Amino acid sequence: DAGVTQSPTHLIKTRGQQVTLRCSPKSGHDTVSWYQQALGQGPQFIFQYYEEEERQRGNFPDRFSGHQFPNYSSELNVNALLLGDSALYLCASSLGDSANYGYTFGSGTRLTVV
Amino acid sequence: AQSVSQHNHHVILSEAASLELGCNYSYGGTVNLFWYVQYPGQHLQLLLKYFSGDPLVKGIKGFEAEFIKSKFSFNLRKPSVQWSDTAEYFCAVNLGNAGNNRKLIWGLGTSLAVNP
């Protein structure tokens, strides 16, 4: 049991469409970070949400946006999907807004854009 | 830009062999270092981490890693691997200054296969 729940587990979308991915953090965690992992690559930081605000953003275009709710759960939205957005999207939760506090990862959402 | 290099992309070992996976990073300031593992069909899990102090850190399942500041390295070791160590191993770095410690920078990963 990862403690972090992501939904859906798999998703197929068409170019130009929009997608919303969801994450429920581990109980007791208040911070959610999102990472994109392309095939054969390490995870790339998209952004982090803490206290319902985006606290830091990686090198991703504005098509990627997110939200954190009062219960600490989070959504990742991607607009105008491109083929290159096909990847595994990982949600990581932690207590506190530093990556040093230790992440708990979910199993990810596999997004395929066709 | 800061980066993390893992030298071995695919490693195949027999049980009881010794393991060393290389990791180097490019950043001259304070860093915090991590090794994560992903077993087949499972989520990423923290194996061990280094913040400060003794540069030899011990993690779960008999793994250890040594931080060598002069070499910008954080190599992972295990004296005797088991079949159950078959997994993907990722080295990750956090830049220690407060403004940049919200994210991890990851290597490409090393796929380890241990033959029984």
Side-chain angles (χ1 to χ4, degrees), chain B residues 51-107:
Chain B
F51 288 175
S52 63
D54 188 345
L56 184 63
V57 292
K58 295 189 184 300
I60 60 173
K61 303 187 180 185
F63 286 91
E64 64 179 31
E66 184 176 13
F67 171 53
I68 303 179
K69 188 175 182 179
S70 61
K71 295 185 177 181
F72 300 92
S73 70
F74 189 55
N75 292 352
L76 181 70
R77 299 195 293 249
K78 186 172 184 179
S80 176
V81 295
Q82 301 174 316
W83 176 78
S84 58
D85 293 324
T86 295
E88 188 89 15
Y89 292 82
F90 291 93
C91 180
V93 171
N94 174 276
L95 306 184
N97 51 316
N100 273 314
N101 69 355
R102 300 178 189 275
K103 67 177 183 181
L104 294 183
I105 302 167
W106 298 74

Side-chain angles (χ1 to χ4, degrees), chain A residues 39-67:
Chain A
L39 203 60
Q41 305 290 316
Q44 297 290 317
F45 176 75
I46 303 175
F47 42 52
Q48 182 206 66
Y49 276 85
Y50 174 67
E51 295 184 334
E52 300 181 48
E53 290 186 5
E54 182 183 296
R55 296 290 178 160
Q56 189 174 359
R57 188 178 186 89
N59 189 25
F60 281 82
D62 292 344
R63 298 186 297 109
F64 289 76
S65 63
H67 188 77

Side-chain angles (χ1 to χ4, degrees), chain B residues 3-8 20-26 33-35 65-68 71-76 90-93 105-107 110:
Chain B
S3 64
V4 176
S5 298
Q6 292 185 239
H7 315 298
N8 320 97
E20 181 160 3
L21 301 182
C23 173
N24 285 88
Y25 61 93
S26 63
L33 300 154
F34 304 80
W35 277 97
E66 184 176 13
F67 171 53
I68 303 179
K71 295 185 177 181
F72 300 92
S73 70
F74 189 55
N75 292 352
L76 181 70
F90 291 93
C91 180
V93 171
I105 302 167
W106 298 74
T110 296

